[in-house]
């Protein structure tokens, strides 16, 4: 075992880790991160930042804006979570993951701090990202919230601008059981005088964002009011969009990710660029916005979003795991008109499983499985819950076994979804 593996295993073992333990690992409040930050000289104050929250799409949007700024020639830090394959994916500069040795050195140098404050795993990774971006002297850092916003550990930054992608049902046990309550938590990243852009205008949440922005005297824009989607074409290589904005007029943009939900993410990011440009905060060039979005996969290595592994049969994996995300994924599957659809499904136990299961087609063939994660819902239990929704299928030990089973069937479309952790375990050989 390498020293890096020893450090990560120690952090997993010693600190509460949300992606393994769920709600009991969540430490509400900013006390710990403020203490960590103060001890390290408030590293988050040494770079310009942009802050992104939302239920779905915040990861994709974070990567899009990072790629755009990278194509403008800037040195861009990117902090996101969770990771798919390696912990180092969480902290990147211009697409390059943080060096493992730096992680080890930071841990060794700050063990007394770790012992005295006892932060959560997420709090530790946030302060680590801030310190790394400070040392590497990034021009901008894109900071994605974990969950919520108001009490999220990332919310000690004073960003140049904020983006809130959308609001849906997820983490209701922490954020609240209505869209209004969830929106209020996400709106907590809106700060005094700091412009905010909302990717999706929703009836239940618009007034909440408007009110918070008014309280903070923060300029607010809703992407759908600013950017028109004139045409959308989906292909294996992604989505081609024709859009129109007040600043740049009509133009085309190509997203390398084929999920139809990316149309809203791209519109939100374009509207955000326009807002920051119009306010004189960051100057953007249209050609660099177009090239940055098109090169997002190459620039940032974002994975797991409508990721096509092969055709004939289609094998597509998507990390969608809540009601809104799954609904959009299933709607897109319909457009392929599969004759025999196989869905490989695994979920974590603390989601609203029944709400999500109610969305799935009953005429598909299902393989129920589970990720190697303490929060994972047992495949047998998922199978039993699904049966109560008229959904039937068989059990597979893991996602890779399920893929092998599915490939031997007569399915012309195989969808793998339900959990980030499930998609993370797909072997590269596929």
């Amino acid at each position: 075992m390498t020293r890096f593996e020893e450090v990560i295993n120690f952090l997993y073992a010693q600190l509460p880790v949300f992606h393994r333990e769920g709600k009991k690992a969540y430490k509400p409040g900013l006390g710990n991160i403020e203490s960590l930050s103060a001890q390290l000289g408030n590293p988050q104050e040494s770079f310009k930042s942009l802050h992104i929250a939302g239920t779905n799409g915040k990861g994709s949007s974070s990567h899009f804006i990072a790629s755009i700024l990278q194509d403008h020639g800037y040195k861009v830090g990117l902090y996101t979570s969770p990771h798919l394959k390696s912990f180092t994916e969480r902290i990147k500069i211009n697409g390059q993951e943080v060096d493992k040795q730096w992680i080890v050195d930071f841990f060794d140098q700050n063990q007394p701090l770790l012992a005295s404050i006892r932060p959560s795993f997420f709090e530790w990774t946030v302060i680590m990202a801030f310190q790394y971006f400070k040392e590497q002297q990034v021009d901008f850092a894109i900071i994605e919230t974990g969950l919520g916003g108001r009490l999220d550990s990332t919310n000690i930054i004073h960003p140049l601008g904020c983006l809130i992608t959308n609001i849906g049902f997820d983490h209701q046990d922490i954020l609240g059981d209505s869209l209004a309550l969830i929106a209020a938590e996400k709106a907590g990243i809106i700060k005094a005088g700091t412009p905010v852009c909302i990717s999706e205008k929703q009836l239940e949440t618009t007034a909440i964002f408007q009110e918070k922005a008014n309280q903070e005297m923060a300029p607010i824009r809703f992407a759908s009011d600013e950017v028109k989607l004139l045409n959308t074409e989906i292909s294996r290589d992604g989505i081609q969009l024709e859009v129109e904005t007040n600043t740049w007029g009509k133009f085309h943009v190509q997203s390398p990710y084929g999920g139809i939900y990316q149309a809203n993410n791209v519109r939100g990011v374009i509207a955000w660029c326009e807002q920051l440009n119009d306010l004189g905060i960051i100057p953007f060039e249209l050609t660099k916005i177009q090239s940055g979005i098109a090169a997002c996969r190459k620039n940032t290595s974002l994975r797991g979003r409508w990721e096509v592994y092969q055709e004939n049969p289609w094998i597509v994996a998507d990390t969608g795991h809540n009601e809104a995300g799954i609904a959009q994924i299933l709607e897109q599957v319909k457009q392929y008109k599969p004759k025999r659809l196989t869905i490989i499904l695994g979920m974590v136990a603390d989601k609203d499983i029944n709400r999500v299961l109610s969305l799935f087609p009953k005429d598909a063939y299902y393989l129920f499985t589970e990720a190697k994660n303490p929060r994972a819902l047992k495949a047998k239990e998922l199978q039993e819950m699904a049966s109560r929704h008229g959904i039937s299928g068989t059990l597979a030990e893991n996602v890779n076994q399920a893929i092998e089973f599915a490939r031997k069937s007569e399915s012309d479309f195989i969808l793998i979804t339900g959990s980030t952790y499930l998609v993370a375990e797909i072997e590269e050989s596929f």
Side-chain angles (χ1 to χ4, degrees):
M1 183 181 294
T2 66
R3 176 67 177 140
F4 170 75
E5 291 169 331
E6 289 175 357
V7 168
I8 296 301
N9 288 342
F10 178 86
L11 294 174
Y12 279 149
Q14 298 297 316
L15 305 181
V17 183
F18 185 87
H19 82 257
R20 288 172 178 251
E21 302 175 33
K23 183 178 179 178
K24 63 183 179 181
Y26 178 63
K27 292 190 173 184
L30 302 177
N32 279 352
I33 192 66
E34 287 173 342
S35 296
L36 289 168
S37 178
Q39 290 292 322
L40 290 172
N42 293 306
Q44 76 281 1
E45 295 177 1
S46 66
F47 51 81
K48 298 172 183 176
S49 61
L50 295 169
H51 208 185
I52 302 182
T55 301
N56 292 312
K58 62 181 183 290
S60 296
S61 299
S62 296
H63 285 75
F64 280 135
I65 191 67
S67 183
I68 289 168
L69 287 168
Q70 190 174 326
D71 266 28
H72 278 78
Y74 295 113
K75 187 175 185 179
V76 186
L78 176 62
Y79 174 76
T80 58
S81 63
H83 60 271
L84 271 184
K85 299 291 185 181
S86 170
F87 173 84
T88 54
E89 294 170 28
R90 294 170 180 245
I91 304 171
K92 298 178 182 178
I93 295 178
N94 284 11
Q96 296 298 309
E97 297 174 16
V98 61
D99 186 75
K100 292 179 179 179
Q101 187 58 49
W102 189 91
I103 299 287
V104 172
D105 293 343
F106 181 85
F107 173 81
D108 289 341
Q109 293 161 10
N110 293 285
Q111 281 201 52
L113 198 58
L114 188 71
S116 63
I117 295 177
R118 300 289 296 169
S120 70
F121 184 86
F122 186 75
E123 289 166 337
W124 186 254
T125 61
V126 167
I127 197 61
M128 191 158 35
F130 290 168
Q131 182 65 23
Y132 186 65
F133 295 153
K134 174 186 177 180
E135 290 181 12
Q136 296 297 314
Q137 297 181 314
V138 298
D139 296 313
F140 295 98
I142 314 304
I143 308 297
E144 178 198 23
T145 61
L147 57 85
R150 181 176 63 93
L151 300 176
D152 190 80
S153 302
T154 64
N155 204 27
I156 61 169
I157 62 174
H158 295 281
L160 298 176
C162 301
L163 177 72
I164 300 175
T165 56
N166 58 33
I167 302 300
F169 286 105
D170 204 3
H171 304 297
Q172 293 99 303
D173 55 339
I174 295 172
L175 303 179
D177 58 3
S178 72
L179 293 181
L181 288 172
I182 296 170
E185 289 297 318
K186 308 283 187 184
I189 69 168
I190 301 173
K191 297 181 176 66
T194 302
V196 58
C197 183
I198 313 297
S199 294
E200 295 182 35
K201 199 170 189 178
Q202 298 166 269
L203 182 64
E204 303 93 333
T205 62
T206 297
I208 291 165
F209 293 134
Q210 189 71 62
E211 182 180 357
K212 176 65 173 176
N214 291 345
Q215 289 173 0
E216 300 291 346
M217 298 181 69
I220 184 170
R221 290 188 183 183
F222 292 87
S224 58
D225 294 341
E226 307 295 329
V227 178
K228 295 178 183 176
L229 286 179
L230 303 177
N231 190 41
T232 303
E233 294 181 11
I234 304 171
S235 71
R236 187 196 190 287
D237 299 321
I239 304 177
Q240 177 81 22
L241 301 171
E242 183 183 8
V243 302
E244 183 177 8
T245 72
N246 295 324
T247 300
W248 295 298
K250 291 182 182 179
F251 58 94
H252 286 86
V253 62
Q254 171 81 26
S255 161
Y257 304 104
I260 191 63
Y261 53 81
Q262 296 293 4
N264 280 326
N265 294 331
V266 169
R267 177 166 62 180
V269 168
I270 290 172
W272 196 23
C273 290
E274 186 179 43
Q275 181 188 38
L276 295 171
N277 182 81
D278 291 351
L279 294 173
I281 295 171
I282 304 176
F284 285 99
E285 298 175 28
L286 175 57
T287 56
K288 300 293 176 60
I289 292 173
Q290 291 169 298
S291 65
I293 291 172
C296 186
R297 189 190 299 273
K298 177 175 69 72
N299 285 348
T300 69
S301 302
L302 176 65
R303 298 281 304 276
R305 274 65 170 183
W306 195 263
E307 188 158 357
V308 178
Y309 285 83
Q310 73 171 58
E311 298 179 33
N312 194 28
W314 289 97
I315 300 180
V316 176
D318 198 290
T319 55
H321 54 270
N322 53 41
E323 182 184 14
I326 293 291
Q328 290 180 312
I329 293 165
L330 293 175
E331 189 59 36
Q332 185 161 353
V333 170
K334 287 181 186 176
Q335 297 181 24
Y336 286 76
K337 297 181 172 60
K339 294 184 177 66
R340 179 176 167 86
L341 169 64
T342 292
I343 296 177
I344 298 172
L345 187 63
M347 301 188 70
V348 296
D350 52 15
K351 298 295 180 183
D352 192 340
I353 307 292
N354 285 305
R355 186 190 289 267
V356 173
L357 285 173
S358 68
L359 302 173
F360 282 95
K362 297 178 174 50
D363 57 351
Y365 176 70
Y366 288 82
L367 286 161
F368 301 103
T369 187
E370 62 195 71
K372 297 182 184 71
N373 184 294
R375 283 174 64 208
L377 181 67
K378 294 297 181 185
K380 180 64 176 174
E381 189 175 346
L382 179 58
Q383 182 188 41
E384 291 169 353
M385 294 178 73
S387 69
R388 294 195 283 273
H389 291 268
I391 295 168
S392 61
T394 56
L395 301 177
E397 186 176 334
N398 56 58
V399 67
N400 296 297
Q401 185 188 77
I403 294 171
E404 289 289 3
F405 286 164
R407 290 173 84 178
K408 293 173 184 175
S409 72
E410 297 178 358
S411 298
D412 56 338
F413 199 109
I414 299 165
L415 173 68
I416 308 152
T417 195
S419 165
T420 299
Y421 313 115
L422 189 75
V423 173
E425 291 179 8
I426 298 174
E427 292 176 355
E428 291 299 324
S429 59
F430 288 120

